[in-house]
Amino acid sequence: MKISVNRLSGPYYPLVVMALLMLAILSFSRVGLFIWQYERVAAAADILPLLLQGIRADLILVGLWLVLPVLLAPALATAGNINRWRSFCHGWALLGLTVIIFIELSTPQFILQYDIRPNRLYVEYLKYPREVFSTLWHGFRAMLLAGIMLTAVLLVLSNRVLRSAKNHTFAYRNRTLWLSWPLVVCLVFAMVRSTTDHRPANPAFFAVTGDAMVNSLVISSPYSVLYAIYSLRHEANASEVYGKLSRQQIVSDALDWPWLQQLQFDENYPTSHFHQATRPRARPLNLVIVLEESLGATFVESLGGVPVTPELEKLKQQGWWFENMYATGTRSVRGIEAVVSGFMPTPAQSVVKLSLAQQHFYTLGSALAEQGYHTSFVYGGEAHFDNMRAFFTGNGFDEVIDMPKIDKPVFVGSWGASDEDLFRTADQHLQQMHAAGKPFFSLIFSSSNHEPFEFPDGRISLHEQPKNTVNNAVKYADYALGQFIAQAKQSAYWQDTIFLIVADHDNRVYGDNLVPVEKFHIPALILGPDIEAKNISPVASQIDLAPTLLSLLGISAQTPLIGRDFSRDASSPGRALLQFDQYFALMEDKDLTILRPQQAPVHAVYNPVSRRLTTSTQPVSATQQSRALAQVLLPSLLYREQLYRNPLPPDCNDCQLAQALP
C-alpha cells in the first residue's frame, strides 16, 4: 500500500514542505558560494564533507524555525481548527523564507566587504537605516535592486509551493495529533541540538578548517545572524567562551609584561597605577589625534601596500613611525576604544556601545579633563552613529562638533561632510582653543574613505578609473590630511601640540588565514615640535598609544592603562592583541596563540613578507594558553565590574556613587 508524504505527516505536512524548501534554498546557496570561492574551499578541506556539515547546520536553523508552530500545534492544529492552522503555517513559512532568501542573497556582497558570512555587523548596522540605505543606494544600487527583485521572484515561487501544501493537507484525527506530538518535539529538539555532546552545536562547532571564511560558508547566513543576535544578549560573559581562569590568575598573567613589572597596582582596581611621564614639561602640551577611517597598511606603499598615501609617506620622515602597529579589531568603535581608552579587545561589542561604559570609564578625554584640558570630538558625520556621542560626552569630552556644526561644507556625501571640511572645521576649533590659552585635546575622526567612496572633484589625480573606488578615496583622504598638517604647521598651536595620526582599522578584512593578520596592520605616526624622526620596528598595538602619548605630553597621573610606553623603550620585543569575529589572537613578534570558542587554541607563525599564517599541529602549552586567555578575560572582568577607571578620592562629589559601584 502506497502512503503519501502528506498522509504520513498529517497535521505537520505544511511544516514538512516548509522545511524541505528551506533546506533546498540554503543548500543551493551554499553550493553557489562554494563554486564562487572554489579555490579557497578546495584548498581548505574536502568539499563533500563540508557540504554535508552544511546540511547539518541548516537542520539547526530549520529546527529553530519549527519550534513555535510545533509548540502551538496541540492547541491550533486540532481538526476543528484545520483552516486556521493551515493559514498560520503558510504565513509562518512565508516569513521564514523571506528572511532566509533576503539574507542569503545579500551574502555575496557582505563576503566581498568582510570576507565572512553576515554576522553581528549585519545586525549592528540595522540600527542606522539612513546611513546604511544611503550607502547601499549610492554604492550598490544595482546590487540592491537586483536583490530585492530576485527575493520577490523566489518568494512568489515559494508561495506557490506553500499554497499547494496548504490545499492538500490530509485530514486527521485529534488523537493522531496528540500522540504524535511528543515524537515531533523530540525530533525538533534533536535538530536544534544536533549533537549528544555536553554543549549543543553552534557556529564554532562547524569551524573545521584553517580558513575563517570557508568555516563561515559551512553554516548559513540566517543561522549566523540569529546566533549573533543570541550572543548580543549574553555579552557580559562572552569572553568566557574561550575558557576560565581564577581572578588572581587573570590579573597575574595579563599584567606579566616587562613594561609593567615595576609598577604598583591598586589593590581594588587591578590595572590602576601611577604613570610617570618620561618627558616632564613646565606646561603640558596639547594633543590632537587624527583617527583615519579604514586607512590600513593596504594603502601605504612603505608598509607593502598600494601607493595612494604620498602625503603620509612624506610625514613619516618627520616623526615616530610605527612600522608594525596592529589594530585590535575590524570596526571603528574597536579602534576608538583602543586608541582613546587603551582598552583591550574582547569578543563582545566595543565598550563604546556597551551600557556599563557610558560613564566613569577611563578615556584620554577624562584623564586630560582632570588636568584642565578642554576636550573635544570632531567628526564629519552624525556623532550619534555607533553611540559615539553618548560614550564621549559621558566620559570626559566637553564638546562634540559634528555635521550640523560644520559651516558651509564644500561637499557632503552619504557619511557626512568631506575630510577637507572636517579638517577646516577642526583647524578653526584648535585655533580658537589656543587663543583662549587653555590646553586642549581633540579627537578628529575622518569619514571620506568609506563606502560608497564619495569625495569632491578636482582635488587629486585619480589613481584609477572609475572615480568612486577605495584607492581614490584613500588618496583623497591622504590629500586632506596633508593639507591639514601643512595648515597646522603654520598655526600658532603647532609648537605646543603633539599629533597622532593612526587608522582605526583596515578597509576590508579578507584572506585565507585563520586570523587575517595582514589586514590588522595599520600605519601610526606621532608628530610634534620636539619629536625626533625615527622608525619604531617592534610589534605594537593600538592600546600602546595612550600611555606613550601621556609621556610625550608631560602628563604624570594615575591611570588604568596597561599598554606599553614606547617613549621608555622603543626597541625590545612587543605584542599585539587581535580580535577577529570569534577568534582572539595574542601576537608576540611572529608567534601567535589563537583562541577559539569551545575549541583548543592553536599556535601559528606569521610571515610578514609573504603575509602567510602557518598553523602548527603541536598543542599550545598550558602556560601559553593561560597567558593568552588572561589577555581577553581581563578586559571582560574590568568591564563587568566597572573597574576600568581610577579610584575616586574619599572627598569627591561622587562618594555615594563610588561606594555603590565595585
Side-chain angles (χ1 to χ4, degrees):
M1 177 179 176
K2 184 177 180 181
I3 301 177
S4 62
V5 174
N6 60 344
R7 182 186 180 102
L8 184 64
S9 52
Y12 306 105
Y13 179 63
L15 300 180
V16 171
V17 173
M18 177 196 77
L20 292 175
L21 264 176
M22 288 181 171
L23 290 172
I25 291 170
L26 292 171
S27 294
F28 182 80
S29 175
R30 182 177 294 104
V31 169
L33 292 173
F34 272 34
I35 294 172
W36 176 40
Q37 297 288 341
Y38 177 78
E39 290 186 4
R40 285 180 63 175
V41 174
D46 292 336
I47 294 178
L48 182 58
L50 293 182
L51 289 173
L52 293 176
Q53 284 289 78
I55 295 174
R56 182 178 180 180
D58 293 343
L59 287 171
I60 296 176
L61 176 65
V62 173
L64 288 170
W65 202 254
L66 286 171
V67 168
L68 180 62
V70 167
L71 290 179
L72 295 177
L76 297 184
T78 56
N81 289 325
I82 184 65
N83 290 330
R84 292 179 181 176
W85 170 249
R86 291 172 177 174
S87 296
F88 169 75
C89 289
H90 180 263
W92 185 249
L94 204 58
L95 175 62
L97 287 167
T98 301
V99 172
I100 285 175
I101 291 170
F102 182 80
I103 297 179
E104 284 294 326
L105 286 176
S106 65
T107 294
Q109 188 59 50
F110 195 92
I111 291 176
L112 284 173
Q113 180 66 29
Y114 298 105
D115 205 47
I116 203 166
R117 272 193 189 267
N119 53 17
R120 65 184 298 156
L121 300 183
Y122 195 92
V123 180
E124 290 179 12
Y125 275 128
L126 295 178
K127 300 176 184 178
Y128 311 102
R130 186 184 70 82
E131 288 87 348
V132 170
F133 181 77
S134 179
T135 298
L136 292 174
W137 186 251
H138 290 98
F140 308 96
R141 187 178 307 174
M143 182 72 70
L144 176 63
L145 295 176
I148 293 174
M149 291 177 60
L150 189 53
T151 298
V153 169
L154 291 176
L155 281 177
V156 169
L157 296 176
S158 298
N159 189 46
R160 290 181 180 178
V161 177
L162 292 174
R163 282 189 177 278
S164 176
K166 176 182 176 181
N167 296 331
H168 290 83
T169 303
F170 180 72
Y172 54 86
R173 298 178 179 177
N174 289 342
R175 183 176 60 182
T176 303
L177 166 68
W178 293 328
L179 289 176
S180 63
W181 183 75
L183 297 177
V184 174
V185 169
C186 290
L187 176 61
V188 171
F189 176 79
M191 291 171 64
V192 172
R193 205 172 194 286
S194 191
T195 177
T196 57
D197 292 343
H198 177 65
R199 293 176 180 271
N202 57 43
F205 184 85
F206 300 97
V208 294
T209 79
D211 187 330
M213 190 276 287
V214 174
N215 289 337
S216 76
L217 293 186
V218 176
I219 63 176
S220 68
S221 295
Y223 176 42
S224 177
V225 170
L226 285 174
Y227 192 81
I229 295 173
Y230 167 79
S231 297
L232 289 174
R233 294 177 58 86
H234 300 272
E235 283 205 314
N237 297 312
S239 295
E240 295 177 3
V241 297
Y242 301 125
K244 296 182 180 181
L245 295 174
S246 69
R247 182 189 183 90
Q248 181 180 359
Q249 190 170 7
I250 291 173
V251 175
S252 174
D253 287 358
L255 302 183
D256 186 24
W257 296 104
W259 53 89
L260 302 176
Q261 295 302 312
Q262 305 304 316
L263 301 178
Q264 296 294 320
F265 293 100
D266 187 274
E267 171 174 302
N268 298 314
Y269 296 80
T271 65
S272 184
H273 64 280
F274 186 78
H275 172 87
Q276 182 65 52
T278 58
R279 296 194 181 186
R281 301 179 186 273
R283 184 181 187 276
L285 298 182
N286 307 313
L287 175 62
V288 173
I289 295 178
V290 178
L291 193 63
E292 286 284 344
E293 169 70 46
S294 305
L295 186 62
T298 302
F299 308 104
V300 182
E301 185 176 14
S302 59
L303 298 180
V306 181
V308 288
T309 54
E311 297 298 328
L312 185 59
E313 293 288 356
K314 296 174 188 175
L315 291 173
K316 78 183 183 66
Q317 308 295 333
Q318 305 169 27
W320 288 10
W321 176 247
F322 291 83
E323 296 177 338
N324 287 294
M325 175 64 67
Y326 286 86
T328 58
T330 60
R331 290 290 312 282
S332 295
V333 284
R334 186 68 77 192
I336 288 172
E337 76 174 2
V339 174
V340 178
S341 289
F343 197 66
M344 298 181 288
T346 73
Q349 288 190 90
S350 162
V351 292
V352 174
K353 305 176 76 171
L354 295 180
S355 60
L356 296 181
Q358 300 309 300
Q359 284 184 305
H360 307 290
F361 192 86
Y362 181 91
T363 68
L364 285 174
S366 61
L368 295 178
E370 291 178 0
Q371 301 290 326
Y373 282 63
H374 179 277
T375 55
S376 60
F377 172 54
V378 188
Y379 179 51
E382 300 282 352
H384 70 270
F385 186 78
D386 267 349
N387 200 54
M388 292 186 294
R389 178 188 292 275
F391 178 77
F392 289 134
T393 57
N395 291 299
F397 284 75
D398 301 317
E399 185 176 7
V400 172
I401 302 171
D402 61 353
M403 176 62 194
K405 294 184 179 181
I406 295 180
D407 184 39
K408 298 178 182 178
V410 298
F411 182 87
V412 176
S414 300
W415 289 87
S418 68
D419 280 4
E420 62 190 88
D421 291 308
L422 167 73
F423 286 128
R424 173 179 51 82
T425 302
D427 178 67
Q428 293 171 353
H429 171 66
L430 299 181
Q431 292 197 48
Q432 291 170 2
M433 292 301 98
H434 181 77
K438 191 175 183 179
F440 58 80
F441 161 46
S442 189
L443 172 66
I444 305 170
F445 187 18
S446 74
S447 60
S448 286
N449 180 27
H450 198 299
E451 287 178 302
F453 307 123
E454 301 164 300
F455 57 91
D457 294 324
R459 302 307 197 268
I460 60 170
S461 58
L462 298 181
H463 178 77
E464 60 195 7
Q465 292 291 343
K467 174 192 171 187
N468 297 115
T469 67
V470 62
N471 286 327
N472 288 331
V474 170
K475 191 171 182 181
Y476 168 74
D478 177 72
Y479 156 82
L481 173 65
Q483 294 288 101
F484 169 63
I485 296 299
Q487 177 63 41
K489 287 181 177 180
Q490 302 302 315
S491 301
Y493 61 78
W494 174 262
Q495 293 302 319
D496 301 316
T497 307
I498 296 292
F499 289 78
L500 167 66
I501 301 168
V502 64
D504 55 353
H505 56 85
D506 207 328
N507 69 324
R508 288 176 53 206
V509 181
Y510 57 88
D512 56 2
N513 292 328
L514 186 62
V515 174
V517 180
E518 70 281 8
K519 300 302 292 184
F520 283 76
H521 191 193
I522 59 172
L525 172 66
I526 297 177
L527 298 169
D530 60 354
I531 301 297
E532 67 278 13
K534 69 176 178 180
N535 289 353
I536 298 176
S537 59
V539 169
S541 172
Q542 283 174 319
I543 70 169
D544 299 329
L545 292 168
T548 303
L549 290 171
L550 288 180
S551 273
L552 297 179
L553 294 177
I555 299 292
S556 297
Q558 194 77 10
T559 171
L561 299 170
I562 59 173
R564 175 182 178 180
D565 182 353
F566 273 89
S567 72
R568 295 183 182 277
D569 175 13
S571 60
S572 60
R575 58 83 191 89
L577 311 171
L578 317 178
Q579 185 70 49
F580 175 60
D581 197 35
Q582 292 296 302
Y583 298 108
F584 174 83
L586 170 61
M587 181 178 181
E588 300 177 78
D589 195 15
K590 298 177 183 179
D591 291 293
L592 285 86
T593 303
I594 302 174
L595 303 180
R596 305 176 294 172
Q598 285 90 49
Q599 291 181 292
V602 297
H603 170 257
V605 177
Y606 178 65
N607 185 326
V609 177
S610 65
R611 300 187 176 185
R612 295 295 305 169
L613 186 72
T614 305
T615 56
S616 170
T617 57
Q618 296 298 316
V620 175
S621 69
T623 300
Q624 186 60 22
Q625 180 177 353
S626 175
R627 181 178 177 82
L629 185 55
Q631 311 306 316
V632 74
L633 291 183
L634 178 63
S636 181
L637 181 153
L638 295 175
Y639 167 75
R640 290 199 308 269
E641 300 186 14
Q642 295 176 269
L643 297 177
Y644 196 70
R645 56 190 177 97
N646 291 321
L648 294 172
D651 59 345
C652 70
N653 294 327
D654 294 325
C655 292
Q656 293 181 346
L657 175 64
Q659 294 173 1
L661 295 175

